Amino acid sequence: MDHEGLVAFLRSAKATGYQWIGGNEGQPCRDQSRQFLYTEGDYHYRDHYFGFRQFGGEEVVWLNQQPLWQMLYFGHIIPSQVCEPVFAFLQKALQQPDMMLPLRGPKQFSQDQWQYQLTIEGGLQQFQGIEKVLLVDKLVYQMHLMGGCLN
């Protein structure tokens, strides 16, 4: 596996894909899910998910039409919280992925009273983690993720 090639592709795919968070939430599918597709060279990426306030999905990368990498996720916005401000802040955090492990955003990011935290165990080959958004030190969003390489 070309580790550097996969990392570079994930950075491109996620930078492009995360632009639609909170706005155009990807292409609607017949099964009431949504998806975002991205292709660059021999790599192909799909982020496919269900839900909005409470959501779950998967991201998959193919190389030469062979599945190479996958991430599963499930998360939610705390019920008393308005979604749009959370997604607006989350989008800013996700536009700054870790350069070596571009799974989501940076380990920590803050702006005004908002905080983003990403805790990951493992690496691109196999990982699990949790992503959180806090507003004035109160949890307003949480997502669990796991995945890794498929070969």
Side-chain angles (χ1 to χ4, degrees):
M1 178 190 74
D2 177 8
H3 185 271
E4 290 178 14
L6 177 58
V7 167
F9 175 74
L10 281 171
R11 270 193 244 122
S12 295
K14 289 171 179 265
T16 302
Y18 293 151
Q19 291 177 12
W20 51 258
I21 291 178
N24 174 15
E25 286 88 19
Q27 303 168 2
C29 300
R30 290 183 187 174
D31 62 1
Q32 300 197 16
S33 66
R34 295 202 172 261
Q35 67 179 353
F36 169 75
L37 305 172
Y38 180 78
T39 298
E40 185 179 294
D42 294 329
Y43 286 95
H44 178 74
Y45 167 90
R46 180 183 70 182
D47 182 354
H48 180 239
Y49 69 96
F50 292 87
F52 184 71
R53 177 177 286 280
Q54 186 156 310
F55 59 90
E58 71 171 348
E59 296 179 15
V60 180
V61 172
W62 289 263
L63 176 59
N64 297 318
Q65 301 179 356
Q66 297 296 314
L68 175 66
W69 180 89
Q70 179 181 36
M71 180 175 79
L72 305 171
Y73 58 86
F74 183 83
H76 68 282
I77 293 178
I78 304 304
S80 62
Q81 187 65 39
V82 177
C83 295
E84 287 75 16
V86 176
F87 283 134
F89 173 74
L90 182 60
Q91 183 178 32
K92 291 176 186 175
L94 296 180
Q95 290 173 342
Q96 303 176 48
D98 183 290
M99 296 306 283
M100 301 306 294
L101 192 59
L103 301 174
R104 295 289 287 172
K107 292 178 182 173
Q108 294 197 4
F109 173 73
S110 297
Q111 186 177 58
D112 301 324
Q113 297 179 330
W114 294 90
Q115 296 174 351
Y116 171 88
Q117 301 170 353
L118 177 64
T119 304
I120 298 290
E121 294 177 16
L124 202 57
Q125 287 287 118
Q126 186 174 3
F127 62 88
Q128 64 182 9
I130 187 166
E131 175 180 77
K132 296 179 182 180
V133 171
L134 295 91
L135 177 58
V136 192
D137 296 324
K138 183 178 177 185
L139 183 68
V140 294
Y141 162 94
Q142 182 171 288
M143 184 182 85
H144 294 268
L145 55 137
M146 62 184 285
C149 292
L150 298 170
N151 56 8

